Amino acid sequence: IVDWFKRGAIWRILTAPSGLEERFRDSLFYRLLTWVFNAVPRLLNLIYRKLQPTVDGSLFCRFLRFFGRRTLFFCGVVLLIMLASPYERWNNMYGFLLSVLLLCLLWVDCAFHPEQRIDVAQVGCWPVLFSTITCLSLLWSQAFSLSFKFLFFHITAILLVLVLVTAVRSEEQLLHLLELVAAGLLIAGIFALYQRVSGIEANASFTDLELNANMPGRVYSFFQNPNAYASILVMFTPLMLALTFLAKTWRQRALFAAATAVSGVALIMTYSRGGWLALAFAGVVLMLLLCPKWVPLLIVVGIAAFPFLPSNITNRLLTIFVGGDSSISSRNYIYSSMVRLLKENWLLGVGLGTNALKRGVAYYDVYFASFPFVHAHNMVLEVWGESGIFAAISFVMTMFTTFRKGLRAKRQAGTPLLRAMVAGSVAGLGWIISLWPAVCCSA
């Protein structure tokens, strides 16, 4: 079946190189962005060459070289901090300042090594377009002050991606970065287990208490709610699992195995139905990429194991199909309000950020439920409502082209470890795409 699928048109669409990426490299926009991001390191390199005889052996120069060459390590530390910091004590401005610091370290490294440069094209045409539209949407926001606060959050994400793509130059560096990510996941997972052991109350805002009477409180670790934590676990757990078997040393395998096991148990205790289904889909994608012959057995074992699951888990899964579940029924009000809002603001949206979207929903009076509107509960609808149709299209294409580039990179990977890294990343990304059809149908 896999061989037959790989001879088909869908597989060619998923793996064929894109001509748009080459045309992007030839564009004036690409040359302008490349000049902007490399202007500072070129200036620093010019200053360094002028003063090189004087400063080359100085302690300050050695200090800059040392930290510049370890930009990727500090990037991993920042990711660890983000994963292991309590939500109530975190401020998005911390992330923004840390991402700017990482960019400065990258500039210093490029200044000492002029053969290196920040290549925006490595990020990809569609991600760059999506980031640009998202930032520009601040200009036409209907709630400028609310959107301005969220702009820093998006800039943080953009800078982190840019630093990661530029700073990773070898398989070994990427593996060390993922060790720090695994450590962050392990810390967050251990705290989630502590929440379960110490006891956590069932929250009516996260669960329909009537339909889930026998279900304990849902853990959320350091994050705001169980669903947010579950989405992070689903994104990283396939990658941790792949590295458990293919990492180079026993110490690395033990770390990735611990992160996988603790994250898997924590995901179960989040009682996130979407998270469970998404992880199942991500697991199938991972098996298809690394060992497709085992996929039928995996599906059979998964189906056969369903009757042996604890009753509170099976009941939680079955509530998806039971009418009257407040979590599911609330989505109908939310999606209906988003459709009504987009009829009036489909082109440009109402403003960047969830707060601007909440204000737009209230201003246009399109939401009729008694419980408060928080966000769109769907990434595509959220992006569309905030920044308009072009942002939504570029976001969907960003997900699709990144997934496609991952499949192509997996085929071109030269070592089993690199194939495992790419396959785990693709599987972690695939869960996002897997949930879109279901959400669109329910809308």
Side-chain angles (χ1 to χ4, degrees), residues 66-326:
F66 176 84
F67 282 96
R69 293 307 289 174
R70 286 156 181 80
T71 301
L72 192 63
F73 168 77
F74 290 111
C75 190
V77 172
V78 168
L79 293 176
L80 189 156
I81 292 172
M82 288 182 170
L83 287 169
S85 297
Y87 175 84
E88 62 274 7
R89 297 185 180 181
W90 181 260
N91 189 307
N92 283 334
M93 191 55 65
Y94 301 157
F96 172 73
L97 294 175
L98 288 172
S99 65
V100 171
L101 177 61
L102 290 173
L103 180 64
C104 292
L105 289 176
L106 183 63
W107 278 342
V108 168
D109 189 33
C110 292
F112 285 111
H113 303 86
E115 72 281 358
Q116 300 171 4
R117 68 168 189 161
I118 299 175
D119 190 358
V120 180
Q122 294 295 332
V123 177
C125 171
W126 285 108
V128 170
L129 183 61
F130 169 65
S131 302
T132 304
I133 295 173
T134 300
C135 293
L136 289 177
S137 66
L138 174 71
L139 301 178
W140 56 77
S141 171
Q142 299 177 16
F144 184 87
S145 60
L146 294 176
S147 297
F148 186 72
K149 295 178 181 179
F150 273 81
L151 178 65
F152 291 98
F153 174 77
H154 289 279
I155 292 176
T156 299
I158 293 168
L159 292 181
L160 283 175
V161 170
L162 191 64
V163 170
L164 279 169
V165 170
T166 306
V168 174
R169 302 186 185 95
S170 68
E171 177 183 288
E172 195 70 28
Q173 287 181 317
L174 182 57
L175 184 61
H176 290 322
L177 172 73
L178 293 176
E179 287 183 70
L180 292 170
V181 173
L185 290 172
L186 187 58
I187 294 171
I190 290 173
F191 186 73
L193 297 180
Y194 169 77
Q195 283 182 330
R196 166 61 63 242
V197 172
S198 61
I200 183 171
E201 288 187 27
N203 191 329
S205 61
F206 298 147
T207 311
D208 188 321
L209 299 180
E210 293 184 6
L211 288 178
N212 300 274
N214 64 335
M215 192 182 80
R218 302 172 61 184
V219 303
Y220 50 86
S221 188
F222 298 120
F223 301 87
Q224 185 180 18
N225 64 62
N227 293 328
Y229 182 43
S231 65
I232 291 173
L233 292 176
V234 175
M235 196 180 306
F236 285 111
T237 301
L239 178 57
M240 298 295 109
L241 177 61
L243 292 174
T244 297
F245 296 100
L246 293 170
K248 293 183 177 181
T249 66
W250 68 267
R251 180 185 62 81
Q252 292 170 336
R253 293 187 180 187
L255 174 62
F256 291 126
T260 303
V262 172
S263 297
V265 175
L267 179 62
I268 294 174
M269 294 188 301
T270 63
Y271 286 89
S272 171
R273 295 166 296 190
W276 294 344
L277 296 177
L279 184 63
F281 180 85
V284 172
V285 172
L286 183 64
M287 295 285 283
L288 282 172
L289 293 176
L290 292 181
C291 42
K293 293 181 180 180
W294 290 93
V295 171
L297 178 61
L298 175 67
I299 295 174
V300 170
V301 170
I303 296 174
F306 188 81
F308 300 97
L309 295 175
S311 59
N312 55 359
I313 294 179
T314 56
N315 291 340
R316 178 65 174 164
L317 284 170
L318 292 175
T319 55
I320 297 175
F321 311 101
V322 176
D325 183 276
S326 60

Side-chain angles (χ1 to χ4, degrees), residues 265-424:
V265 175
L267 179 62
I268 294 174
M269 294 188 301
T270 63
Y271 286 89
S272 171
R273 295 166 296 190
W276 294 344
L277 296 177
L279 184 63
F281 180 85
V284 172
V285 172
L286 183 64
M287 295 285 283
L288 282 172
L289 293 176
L290 292 181
C291 42
K293 293 181 180 180
W294 290 93
V295 171
L297 178 61
L298 175 67
I299 295 174
V300 170
V301 170
I303 296 174
F306 188 81
F308 300 97
L309 295 175
S311 59
N312 55 359
I313 294 179
T314 56
N315 291 340
R316 178 65 174 164
L317 284 170
L318 292 175
T319 55
I320 297 175
F321 311 101
V322 176
D325 183 276
S326 60
S327 298
I328 295 178
S329 61
S330 66
R331 301 297 198 275
N332 296 326
Y333 292 101
I334 294 169
Y335 299 146
S336 299
S337 68
M338 287 302 300
V339 170
R340 287 189 287 268
L341 180 71
L342 290 173
K343 287 181 180 178
E344 302 288 335
N345 302 273
W346 63 271
L347 182 61
L348 300 178
V350 296
L352 185 64
T354 54
N355 289 342
L357 185 66
K358 287 168 62 176
R359 178 189 177 279
V361 167
Y363 176 80
Y364 288 96
D365 194 22
V366 293
Y367 184 66
F368 305 129
S370 58
F371 39 83
F373 181 95
V374 180
H375 50 77
H377 282 273
N378 174 255
M379 296 170 70
V380 178
L381 291 178
E382 183 75 32
V383 170
W384 191 352
E386 290 183 15
S387 303
I389 182 66
F390 298 110
I393 292 173
S394 60
F395 174 74
V396 173
M397 291 305 299
T398 294
M399 294 294 103
F400 175 74
T401 54
T402 304
F403 188 80
R404 184 175 68 175
K405 288 168 69 176
L407 293 176
R408 192 163 68 248
K410 186 263 176 184
R411 295 172 62 191
Q412 298 170 352
T415 65
L417 176 60
L418 189 55
R419 283 195 292 273
M421 292 180 184
V422 175

Side-chain angles (χ1 to χ4, degrees), residues 4-15:
W4 170 79
F5 179 73
K6 287 184 176 181
R7 290 194 295 268
I10 296 178
W11 181 253
R12 287 197 297 273
I13 292 173
L14 289 175
T15 57

